[in-house]
Amino acid sequence: DTEVTQTPKHLVMGMTNKKSLKCEQHMGHRAMYWYKQKAKKPPELMFVYSYEKLSINESVPSRFSPECPNSSLLNLHLHALQPEDSALYLCASSQDQEFYGYTFGSGTRLTVV
Amino acid sequence: GQNIDQPTEMTATEGAIVQINCTYQTSGFNGLFWYQQHAGEAPTFLSYNVLDGLEEKGRFSSFLSRSKGYSYLLLKELQMKDSASYLCAVSTDRGSTLGRLYFGRGTQLTVWP
């Protein structure tokens, strides 16, 4: 299995809703990432988990809450989002010992209404 | 800060050759990556350079000059399906920036018949 699986593929949520994005990989990668990408912009790093511990938080607002329950799973909990948070949310993973780039998931297209 | 620069747009004809340039100024260097991204989809890995020189992979080649902070992606025998955004990304030294990639803004390539 050489894939990173993200669910759901599309999500529409209201500003008062609570939802979660899910990311799963079974490649034994020990580093996992959340990126946010707006249209025609490059991906922007949000969070990095290394060995299931939060390693980097790029000053992301608290309405985004990451969670890494185990080495294969990464969640992003969403609460009280704003319309400007609408974007493509990408999960990625990489081997920790030698960094040869990411394997990206197919992304979740989030629309906040 | 980290600066990755690449042209915003390029156009080319089917069957032609196109070269997409990328220049970078980063604090530390641990490899340069090229990703292809079709609209609304996740980036897919194309190439990785860590040493100076040319890496060839089928119709795609990537070149790196670390002393000049310069890379290019060469696409040969262009096909319509090559129309996409091409992202240049740099990995800096490990440590506090574990596995982090700094992305350029992407070059939107349009291939005409």
Side-chain angles (χ1 to χ4, degrees), chain A residues 51-70:
Chain A
Y51 288 86
E52 299 152 54
K53 288 187 170 24
L54 185 63
S55 173
I56 295 176
N57 177 343
E58 286 291 288
S59 302
V60 179
S62 59
R63 58 185 184 269
F64 296 91
S65 175
E67 179 197 20
C68 190
N70 59 56

Side-chain angles (χ1 to χ4, degrees), chain A residues 31 33 35 37 40-43 45 48 50 55-56 58 88 90 96-102 104-107 109, chain B residues 30 33 35 37 39-45 48 87 91 94-106 108:
Chain A
Y33 310 78
Y35 275 83
Q37 187 177 26
K40 299 186 186 296
K41 301 284 188 183
L45 183 66
V48 179
S50 177
S55 173
I56 295 176
E58 286 291 288
L88 180 68
L90 295 165
D96 180 52
Q97 297 305 314
E98 291 290 336
F99 183 65
Y100 292 119
Y102 302 146
F104 279 98
S106 56
R109 173 71 61 189
Chain B
N30 194 36
F33 300 81
Y35 285 86
Q37 187 175 27
E41 297 181 9
T44 56
F45 171 81
Y48 168 65
L87 298 165
S91 171
R94 295 175 66 80
S96 62
T97 55
L98 170 70
R100 179 173 187 158
L101 280 182
Y102 293 90
F103 285 89
R105 298 176 68 85
Q108 182 63 47

Side-chain angles (χ1 to χ4, degrees), chain A residues 2-43:
Chain A
T2 58
E3 288 188 348
V4 175
T5 303
Q6 285 188 249
T7 54
K9 293 196 181 305
H10 301 274
L11 178 62
V12 179
M13 61 185 290
M15 289 187 284
T16 58
N17 291 160
K18 284 186 181 181
K19 297 286 184 183
S20 296
L21 309 185
K22 181 179 174 181
C23 174
E24 192 168 2
Q25 59 88 14
H26 297 286
M27 294 178 282
H29 289 177
R30 302 313 298 267
M32 296 185 76
Y33 310 78
W34 281 115
Y35 275 83
K36 172 183 176 179
Q37 187 177 26
K38 305 280 275 185
K40 299 186 186 296
K41 301 284 188 183

Side-chain angles (χ1 to χ4, degrees), chain B residues 4-113:
Chain B
I4 318 291
D5 195 31
Q6 53 181 129
T8 306
E9 295 179 331
M10 298 185 72
T11 60
T13 311
E14 207 173 8
I17 300 173
V18 71
Q19 178 175 311
I20 303 174
N21 296 325
C22 172
T23 57
Y24 64 90
Q25 291 176 305
T26 58
S27 52
F29 179 83
N30 194 36
L32 187 142
F33 300 81
W34 285 96
Y35 285 86
Q36 179 192 63
Q37 187 175 27
H38 287 97
E41 297 181 9
T44 56
F45 171 81
L46 289 178
S47 69
Y48 168 65
N49 294 70
V50 65
L51 300 176
D52 289 353
L54 188 68
E55 294 282 342
E56 297 186 79
K57 191 185 291 187
R59 294 190 299 115
F60 294 71
S61 303
S62 57
F63 172 83
L64 175 67
S65 169
R66 288 173 298 170
S67 62
K68 295 181 179 177
Y70 167 69
S71 172
Y72 67 73
L73 179 69
L74 193 70
L75 294 79
K76 304 175 185 174
E77 302 169 15
L78 282 173
Q79 303 174 9
M80 298 292 290
K81 66 179 182 179
D82 297 328
S83 292
S85 181
Y86 291 85
L87 298 165
C88 173
V90 173
S91 171
T92 57
D93 288 341
R94 295 175 66 80
S96 62
T97 55
L98 170 70
R100 179 173 187 158
L101 280 182
Y102 293 90
F103 285 89
R105 298 176 68 85
T107 298
Q108 182 63 47
L109 173 67
T110 302
V111 180
W112 298 103

